[in-house]
Amino acid sequence: MSVMKRVSMIFRAKANKALDRMEDPRETLDYSYQTQLELLQKVRRGVADVATSRKRVELQMNSLEQSSTKLDRQAREALSAGREDLARDALSRKSGVQGQLTDLQTQYTSLQGEEEKLTAASQRLQAKVDAFRTRKETIKATYTAAEAQTRINEAFTGISEEMGDVGMAIQRAEDKTEQMKARAGAIDELMASGALDDVVSGPRDDIQAELDRMGAGHDVDSELARMKAELGQGSAPRELEGSAEPAQAQQAPASAAQPADHQQAGEGQ
Amino acid sequence: MIVRILGEGQLEVDDSAVAELNALDSQLEAAVDRNDEAEFSAALDTLLSRVRALGRTVEDSALDPSDLILPQEGATTAEVRKLLADDGLIPG
């Protein structure tokens, strides 16, 4: 038998089974209405959950985008300083970040779709629940056994099909958000543990450290030289070992601007 | 004739379209039986787009049960099998 027909028969069978369990038809109406209201709450919570998950993915995407921009800038800085090795390193990390971004983009789109579907489902269910409430009151007012039973069955079967559909849609959305939560949680944990520091901007950013060393090295050395000069001139020379002097002069050629520095460097240390 | 697409809602389709939809549905069923995911996905896409093209949206406030119910877009053969199982996916 056809798939479409079988599915619709299964839905009907479920509704009929539920109807058979009820003894008083009016009780069926009230009980079903309660269940409908509960399902409406559930579908609204579902929409909120999906939205939360989507926002979390959005935040992670923002931070990865920042990271990508930063790595790009670092690659440029490294290149202009003649450090192609460092630039290559930065660009390869950037490509890793871009890969993660693409993955998150797919997740984001999927969550967005889920959110739209659930929102629409919630509106449909709301309209049907309102219609059911009206029908329920009409049926109760004109209650004459056999006729009422037929009308109750119709209304009940119609709404329970919708409820079954919405129930499954909520389940699908929940499954999807659970998966997303697990993945987003894993990325957050990696970031927190520092394992992703190499990829995502963090305290142990060795490319930046290298660039800083290259850039700031000059400043520190020249400032040191200036301070030493000041101290050397301003206070009495102290007797300290000057053993570090040759090495220091080698490491910081920029500071060896004035000949007087050499003499005072060892003393003022 | 009222057709429901799971996750999307109900559509009113002329009875004259039944033969065409049934033929597409047979392909769907064959794909489920053979567990052929690619063929199933293609057959479902065709069936859904035909129903969407032929159908008129049923008012949200209508309380009529559907004559035919179609799996949601992107469904897998495993999901359809569960749907067809007696105590499967459908809550209640």
Side-chain angles (χ1 to χ4, degrees), chain A residues 220-232:
Chain A
V220 170
D221 288 336
S222 57
E223 192 162 355
L224 261 180
R226 190 176 52 76
M227 281 181 175
K228 283 171 189 168
E230 276 174 20
L231 286 171

Side-chain angles (χ1 to χ4, degrees), chain A residues 200-232:
Chain A
V200 180
S201 59
R204 280 170 44 237
D205 185 336
D206 52 345
I207 294 184
Q208 192 57 48
E210 182 81 18
L211 285 170
D212 289 348
R213 251 199 310 283
M214 286 159 48
H218 295 287
D219 297 343
V220 170
D221 288 336
S222 57
E223 192 162 355
L224 261 180
R226 190 176 52 76
M227 281 181 175
K228 283 171 189 168
E230 276 174 20
L231 286 171

Side-chain angles (χ1 to χ4, degrees), chain A residues 1-8 10-12 14 124 127-128 131 135 154 158 161-162 164-165 168 172, chain B residues 4 6-10 25 29 60-63 65-70 72 83-84 86 89-92:
Chain A
M1 198 201 297
S2 118
V3 174
M4 307 187 286
K5 192 73 204 161
R6 265 153 76 195
V7 176
S8 79
I10 288 168
F11 269 91
R12 267 175 216 232
K14 296 253 176 192
R124 273 200 307 276
K128 282 188 163 41
R135 187 93 57 103
E154 279 170 6
E161 181 185 307
E162 186 70 36
D165 188 358
M168 285 191 289
R172 282 196 299 274
Chain B
R4 174 182 292 273
L6 289 179
E8 288 179 37
Q10 294 174 304
D25 190 32
E29 194 180 14
D60 280 353
S61 58
L63 287 174
S66 310
D67 300 290
L68 302 172
I69 298 182
L70 277 169
Q72 74 277 9
L83 202 57
L84 293 172
D86 239 0
L89 283 174
I90 308 164

Side-chain angles (χ1 to χ4, degrees), chain B residues 2-31:
Chain B
I2 296 176
V3 182
R4 174 182 292 273
I5 300 177
L6 289 179
E8 288 179 37
Q10 294 174 304
L11 295 145
E12 174 82 45
V13 178
D14 281 344
D15 290 348
S16 59
V18 170
E20 185 194 345
L21 297 185
N22 272 338
L24 291 171
D25 190 32
S26 302
Q27 290 175 24
L28 195 71
E29 194 180 14

